[in-house]
Amino acid sequence: MKQVNVDVAVIGGGTAGLGSYRAAKAHTDSVVMIEGGPYSTTCARVGCMPSKLLIAAAESVHQIEKAPKFGIHPQGEIVINGREVMERVKFERDRFVGFVLEGVDEIPAEDKISGYAKFLDDNTLQVDDHTIINAKRIVIATGSRPAYPAVWNELGDRLIINDDVFNWDDLPKSVAVFGPGVIGLELGQALHRLGVETKLFGLGGQVGPVTDPEVMAYANKAFNEEFYLDADVKVESMKRITTESGEDRVEIQFINKQGELETNIVEYVLAATGRRPNTDKLGLENTSIELDERGVPTAD
């Protein structure tokens, strides 16, 4: 087992980890960064940047559809080529990731440790089965991952998270989005505008990050004028099925806004039901760090 002694150890090589590493290096050369997965950032790979590319494509369609109100009449029907849309999204996404990786490549190899870190005590980390790190200071920058009910795993590859959207080669015909938060709303609206049959479902009536009741009611009304949104749906059942033509689909039975049982069959269920912090496998119980009810270190 290799032994390493440093001033600062940063767990995680994403946005916060890279920023922490550079900030620490401004004060000491004795810094390591530990990363178990691919380098790059959530923002560049599967977050803000590719989602805004998808939204930009959707906005282009939306502006063309609105053009006649201004006396501008595009000739012929609007044709949305899903393969071309996703090809551009992935090309630009990969370019953004490349910029991040260029920065990672500039970090000295001896400062990068590959593997998953676990606390042995307040100042000691074990990385997989190959390295023990003793550090005066340790930065936890492990990010988060999507969270959804475990029973949904029965849907197999028909269940996707926002990360998966940006690996599509083509746009699907239909999607049910669960979770009308920021991620669910922006992806749901973009997919709808790009011609995907989209229904958006939530629980509890919350729409986006809005807290004012009047603003939320207006937001709910505005979104519903464009596509189906039920922010407090009652789902009776959701299961994977095989259609008569042999296609894998998801059948959702829910009580619609008229109080009737409705059956909706979609290609994918997109889980945008929140995220949970990646702190559960760090061995924080081996430290004196104060944790909140979710097992996450408390921050002032």
Side-chain angles (χ1 to χ4, degrees):
M1 192 83 72
K2 183 181 178 182
Q3 297 278 339
V4 177
N5 297 303
V6 294
D7 290 341
V8 181
V10 180
I11 311 174
T15 303
L18 289 166
S20 300
Y21 169 83
R22 292 177 183 126
K25 286 290 277 190
H27 299 277
T28 174
D29 284 332
S30 181
V31 185
V32 293
M33 182 170 59
I34 308 152
E35 175 56 66
Y39 281 97
S40 183
T41 68
T42 295
C43 181
R45 279 191 304 112
V46 295
C48 330
M49 294 184 181
S51 65
K52 298 308 177 288
L53 288 164
L54 193 71
I55 289 167
E59 186 67 17
S60 295
V61 179
H62 190 54
Q63 292 299 331
I64 293 170
E65 289 173 343
K66 291 197 302 182
K69 295 180 182 178
F70 298 91
I72 300 167
H73 302 275
Q75 297 299 309
E77 65 172 319
I78 302 169
V79 177
I80 299 168
N81 187 312
R83 286 192 170 276
E84 291 181 9
V85 169
M86 295 312 302
E87 187 178 324
R88 179 178 184 272
V89 168
K90 290 192 289 184
F91 176 82
E92 293 294 340
R93 182 270 314 271
D94 293 345
R95 194 166 66 89
F96 297 148
V97 170
F99 294 148
V100 176
L101 294 180
E102 284 177 11
V104 172
D105 288 342
E106 293 172 359
I107 297 172
E110 61 270 21
D111 287 1
K112 292 181 284 191
I113 298 177
S114 295
Y116 291 94
K118 188 170 185 177
F119 282 89
L120 300 182
D121 58 43
D122 282 357
N123 296 94
T124 310
L125 297 169
Q126 179 173 330
V127 181
D128 291 345
D129 57 358
H130 56 72
T131 307
I132 297 291
I133 300 172
N134 295 295
K136 296 177 183 176
R137 297 284 186 273
I138 296 173
V139 179
I140 299 172
T142 45
S144 63
R145 63 185 185 273
Y148 53 82
V151 69
W152 289 7
N153 285 316
E154 294 175 4
L155 301 176
D157 62 2
R158 297 295 101 187
L159 174 69
I160 60 170
I161 56 176
N162 59 292
D163 302 25
D164 302 318
V165 169
F166 307 114
N167 288 322
W168 281 339
D169 292 326
D170 198 353
L171 292 169
K173 289 184 171 60
S174 55
V175 172
V177 182
F178 280 83
V182 173
I183 293 173
L185 284 172
E186 67 178 16
L187 288 180
Q189 185 183 57
L191 291 172
H192 163 75
R193 289 180 173 180
L194 288 167
V196 179
E197 294 174 20
T198 305
K199 280 187 168 63
L200 188 52
F201 301 111
L203 292 174
Q206 181 70 34
V207 177
V210 180
T211 54
D212 183 279
E214 286 187 36
V215 177
M216 192 186 305
Y218 186 86
N220 188 41
K221 177 176 176 290
F223 282 116
N224 264 292
E225 288 172 356
E226 190 171 349
F227 56 86
Y228 189 97
L229 165 62
D230 187 343
D232 193 18
V233 72
K234 183 179 181 185
V235 175
E236 295 291 323
S237 68
M238 185 161 67
K239 61 184 179 182
R240 184 180 177 130
I241 63 168
T242 302
T243 65
E244 290 181 2
S245 56
E247 297 172 317
D248 291 325
R249 294 290 184 267
V250 177
E251 179 190 89
I252 304 168
Q253 291 192 319
F254 64 99
I255 305 300
N256 63 24
K257 296 171 188 175
Q258 288 72 45
E260 301 165 344
L261 182 66
E262 184 174 327
T263 299
N264 192 214
I265 296 175
V266 296
E267 284 190 49
Y268 293 102
V269 168
L270 170 56
T273 45
R275 299 180 71 87
R276 61 174 296 179
N278 293 327
T279 54
D280 47 325
K281 296 178 182 177
L282 287 176
L284 293 173
E285 66 276 6
N286 299 325
T287 73
S288 60
I289 298 172
E290 184 182 341
L291 306 177
D292 65 18
E293 67 279 358
R294 301 171 300 154
V296 179
T298 57
D300 62 22

